[in-house]
Amino acid sequence: MVDTVLAFARTLRHAGVPASPDRVEAMLTALALLRVLEPSDVYWAGRLTLCGGPDDLDRYDAAFAAFFSGERPRVSRATATVPPRLAASAPLDAGAGEGDDDVDVPDLAARASADEVLRHRDVAGLTPAEREHLRRLFALLAPAAPMRPARRRRPAARGAVHPGRTVRRALRDGGEITRLMHRRARPRPRRVVLLVDVSGSMTPYADALLRFAHAAVRARPASTEVFTIGTRLTRLTRELRRRDADRALEAGGRAIPDWSGGTRLGEVLKAFLDRWGQRGTARGAVVVVCSDGWERGDAALLGEQMARLQRLAHAVVWVNPHKGRVGYEPLTGGMQAALPSVDHFVAGHSMAAFERLSEVLTRA
């Protein structure tokens, strides 16, 4: 039981719920007085001890459903209040909405099938209820940062022998070498820079891309930078460091002056490289450009700046939401100018595409 609760607490922390050790201990104390084989007792014990405020309830419900087989437990006690059901607030089937309150919660197989369908749906065609459920899936996303070898070696159980530490240890042991001390270079996270296009053509995907950027910042706040590109360059790293995704995106929306405007990718990319990239932000980093490639400015300028970016960065990843469509070909002038300098060209139209993007970043 203890191992299960600890694993569930880790899931909650990835979802943004501050499940601190004292709250985990309170849940274990509550479960010791309840029936641990009763799903409703486990649900309420965690909800009353691990959640710190109203903002944590939705994340707790989503994490509980994902961790314990995907189904909210039915409350058997008459005195307990039935919590709002995920299926009622965010139906996953097309056309579901009002008038479905009397429908029973689907079983595990049906819910898993609906979740799998939603993962592959294009975010531009989702209903408001499906977007709400997708928001909860993004809360559980934790992209892993790419790693780079470090030059500085640190003490380790294995690796090359550290002469200095070995001699100092021998002096403490009376001059006899009783143990060899080792050291090895530990990998460090590589910087990730996300450039998110917020122009008019990217409006249906901008919210999902910014939620992915928030998940990346939440996972590695010290080594992740986020900028928006359109007609101007805006740094959003500080706004996206907030724990709550909705509040972070709301603050980011207030900071973006060119939301749903035009596109001058070449000029904005040049401004980024002149002000940030050349000084070290893009040097040796994995740079992710999220755009459909529609360029109203000079496509030749975009090609020059992309070649400049490739020389500075460790890897350049281009995320195009339209790449996930059947029969797509990069025929726009902007994409044709940028692709020669791109190391990884991936889709960004669905939850499954964002999961694959996380794998690309890890391998980069």
Side-chain angles (χ1 to χ4, degrees):
M1 181 186 69
V2 175
D3 294 339
T4 303
V5 172
L6 292 178
F8 177 53
R10 287 194 296 268
T11 302
L12 284 177
R13 285 191 287 269
H14 283 300
V17 178
S20 57
D22 55 337
R23 294 181 181 178
V24 176
E25 184 178 358
M27 181 180 179
L28 289 173
T29 304
L31 288 178
L33 304 175
L34 299 173
R35 296 168 295 177
V36 295
L37 298 182
E38 180 64 31
S40 61
D41 288 358
V42 178
Y43 172 83
W44 285 108
R47 181 179 170 121
L48 295 176
T49 56
L50 300 179
C51 296
D55 295 338
D56 297 334
L57 299 181
D58 290 341
R59 297 187 181 90
Y60 175 84
D61 292 342
F64 189 91
F67 189 84
F68 293 101
S69 301
E71 184 175 2
R72 182 82 52 80
R74 299 177 184 271
V75 180
S76 58
R77 300 181 181 180
T79 57
T81 303
V82 178
R85 295 175 301 172
L86 178 62
S89 61
L92 303 181
D93 298 332
E98 298 181 357
D100 293 339
D101 293 340
D102 56 343
V103 179
D104 293 337
V105 179
D107 58 11
L108 174 60
R111 182 179 297 277
S113 176
D115 286 347
E116 186 65 20
V117 171
L118 182 63
R119 287 179 61 252
H120 295 275
R121 288 278 302 277
D122 194 319
V123 298
L126 297 182
T127 64
E130 290 171 336
R131 289 180 179 273
E132 174 67 16
H133 186 70
L134 188 68
R135 178 182 68 84
R136 301 181 183 183
L137 294 180
F138 268 112
L140 300 175
L141 184 64
M147 307 300 290
R148 63 180 177 87
R151 295 183 179 179
R152 179 177 298 179
R153 297 182 180 183
R154 300 184 180 182
R158 299 178 180 179
V161 176
H162 194 308
R165 294 183 63 235
T166 301
V167 171
R168 289 192 294 269
R169 176 64 181 264
L171 293 176
R172 290 197 301 267
D173 294 341
E176 295 290 338
I177 299 179
T178 59
R179 180 182 176 184
L180 294 178
M181 310 303 293
H182 302 272
R183 62 180 178 180
R184 65 188 305 177
R186 297 181 181 179
R188 301 180 60 184
R190 187 181 295 276
R191 184 183 296 108
V192 176
V193 181
L194 294 103
L195 305 177
V196 182
D197 189 349
V198 293
S199 61
S201 60
M202 289 289 293
T203 300
Y205 302 96
D207 180 80
L209 290 170
L210 289 176
R211 289 189 182 276
F212 178 84
H214 176 262
V217 173
R218 186 184 64 223
R220 293 284 185 178
S223 59
T224 306
E225 290 283 347
V226 181
F227 298 84
T228 59
I229 55 177
T231 58
R232 297 181 59 181
L233 178 71
T234 306
R235 183 172 182 261
L236 288 187
T237 306
R238 180 178 301 177
E239 287 77 8
L240 294 185
R241 282 177 179 167
R242 303 188 180 189
R243 181 174 61 87
D244 185 87
D246 293 331
R247 294 181 179 178
L249 265 65
E250 181 181 356
R254 293 193 298 266
I256 300 175
D258 56 341
W259 182 274
S260 191
T263 310
R264 293 200 299 266
L265 296 179
E267 298 178 13
V268 176
L269 187 58
K270 183 178 185 302
F272 164 74
L273 293 175
D274 291 342
R275 183 177 179 183
W276 298 91
Q278 197 73 31
R279 296 182 180 182
T281 302
R283 191 179 300 275
V286 177
V287 181
V288 184
V289 183
C290 307
S291 176
D292 55 1
W294 284 97
E295 172 63 294
R296 295 186 178 181
D298 187 4
L301 176 61
L302 176 60
E304 295 174 0
Q305 299 307 314
M306 285 297 299
R308 181 183 171 192
L309 175 62
Q310 189 185 39
R311 291 192 296 268
L312 288 174
H314 174 74
V316 178
V317 182
W318 192 289
V319 181
N320 191 327
H322 302 310
K323 188 179 184 299
R325 298 179 180 177
V326 179
Y328 167 79
E329 295 182 6
L331 301 179
T332 61
M335 286 307 311
Q336 291 184 355
L339 280 180
S341 303
V342 173
D343 298 305
H344 305 278
F345 186 41
V346 299
H349 66 294
S350 65
M351 189 66 193
F354 288 119
E355 294 172 354
R356 288 193 294 270
L357 174 59
S358 299
E359 299 175 359
V360 170
L361 293 181
T362 303
R363 293 194 301 267

